[in-house]
């Protein structure tokens, strides 16, 4: 209810502008449609197969034991597992400034934007970046996929892909999660911690958690 009230107030704030809030709506609504895909059972089933869950559970228990917690509560276990999920994701996902050449796997330089192919649009890639190899001159496409099902396969991108996919994983494991969109050019994740009784910040790109002032003062 609180979240709904916050969203209503935010929309009301923009609705008094001369454009009637349409610019804001146009920017937000694609993300609203995107996060609904997190709840798809088939996508979630596919995501579960990509995570070494037993290994992460063991690491979570070890981390609790190091803090002197040998008989953790469910809330403590859930919180510890969430952090291990974050650390695993940081190591398993790849950041892409410029993709390696599809032909020779060497460095590329950006050429510009291209038109998405039907196979790319299918997975939400409305934007496609075009790169030319610095060595063999071959062209490499870098579709900016938005479908989390595709991202668990490609496992690469920039902060948009990282936060999108990690928030999806949080939902897969039952955490109350939300994708945070910052119009100053960053996105990250927040999860509600039953252990702390509040939302906590998680940035998969940085592998950090509960540090919400990271961007303002970090």
């Amino acid at each position: 209810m609180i979240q709904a009230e916050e969203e209503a107030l935010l929309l009301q704030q923009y609705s008094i502008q001369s454009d009637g809030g349409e610019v804001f709506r146009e920017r937000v609504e694609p993300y609203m449609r995107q996060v609904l895909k997190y709840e798809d059972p088939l996508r979630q089933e596919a995501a579960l197969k990509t995570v070494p869950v037993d290994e992460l559970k063991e690491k979570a228990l070890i981390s609790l034991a190091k803090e002197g917690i040998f008989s953790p509560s469910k809330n403590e276990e859930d919180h510890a597992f969430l952090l291990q999920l974050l650390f695993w994701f940081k190591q398993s996902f790849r950041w892409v400034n410029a993709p390696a050449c599809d032909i020779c796997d060497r460095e590329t330089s950006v050429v510009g934007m291209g038109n998405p192919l039907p196979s790319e649009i299918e997975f939400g890639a409305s934007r496609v970046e075009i790169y030319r190899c610095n060595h063999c001159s071959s062209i490499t496409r870098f579709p900016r996929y938005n479908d989390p099902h595709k991202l668990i396969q490609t496992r690469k991108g920039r902060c948009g892909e990282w936060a999108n996919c990690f928030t999806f994983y949080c939902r897969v494991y039952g955490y109350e999660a939300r994708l945070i969109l910052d119009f100053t050019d960053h996105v990250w994740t927040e999860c509600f911690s039953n252990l702390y009784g509040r939302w906590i910040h998680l940035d998969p790109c940085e592998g950090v958690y509960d540090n919400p002032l990271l961007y303002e003062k970090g």
Side-chain angles (χ1 to χ4, degrees), residues 79-124:
H79 184 79
F81 181 84
L82 176 62
L83 300 188
Q84 293 303 322
L85 185 66
L86 173 71
F87 302 149
W88 165 81
F89 188 87
K90 167 68 174 173
Q91 297 302 318
S92 64
F93 220 72
R94 183 164 60 89
W95 182 273
V96 176
N97 284 322
C101 176
D102 286 339
I103 303 302
C104 68
D105 202 36
R106 301 175 80 173
E107 294 180 352
T108 64
S109 297
V110 65
V111 174
M113 302 299 293
N115 295 320
L117 304 174
S119 59
E120 296 164 339
I121 294 175
E122 179 184 358
F123 297 104

Side-chain angles (χ1 to χ4, degrees), residues 81-204:
F81 181 84
L82 176 62
L83 300 188
Q84 293 303 322
L85 185 66
L86 173 71
F87 302 149
W88 165 81
F89 188 87
K90 167 68 174 173
Q91 297 302 318
S92 64
F93 220 72
R94 183 164 60 89
W95 182 273
V96 176
N97 284 322
C101 176
D102 286 339
I103 303 302
C104 68
D105 202 36
R106 301 175 80 173
E107 294 180 352
T108 64
S109 297
V110 65
V111 174
M113 302 299 293
N115 295 320
L117 304 174
S119 59
E120 296 164 339
I121 294 175
E122 179 184 358
F123 297 104
S126 59
R127 295 182 299 128
V128 178
E129 300 169 3
I130 305 298
Y131 293 81
R132 178 177 286 111
C133 181
N134 297 337
H135 302 276
C136 72
S137 298
S138 297
I139 295 297
T140 293
R141 301 171 64 85
F142 180 37
R144 302 301 302 276
Y145 292 116
N146 287 316
D147 190 326
H149 184 249
K150 186 66 173 180
L151 293 176
I152 65 174
Q153 301 169 30
T154 63
R155 312 184 78 78
K156 64 182 180 181
R158 302 195 191 105
C159 64
E161 289 90 346
W162 281 63
N164 181 11
C165 194
F166 179 69
T167 309
F168 171 53
Y169 273 119
C170 291
R171 287 299 302 137
V172 167
Y173 283 97
Y175 294 96
E176 188 173 356
R178 56 193 186 191
L179 180 69
I180 306 301
L181 169 62
D182 180 349
F183 287 155
T184 60
D185 196 32
H186 194 46
V187 284
W188 61 92
T189 304
E190 286 184 355
C191 283
F192 190 83
S193 170
N194 290 321
L195 180 63
Y196 293 156
R198 59 178 173 82
W199 291 91
I200 63 170
H201 148 270
L202 302 117
D203 190 324

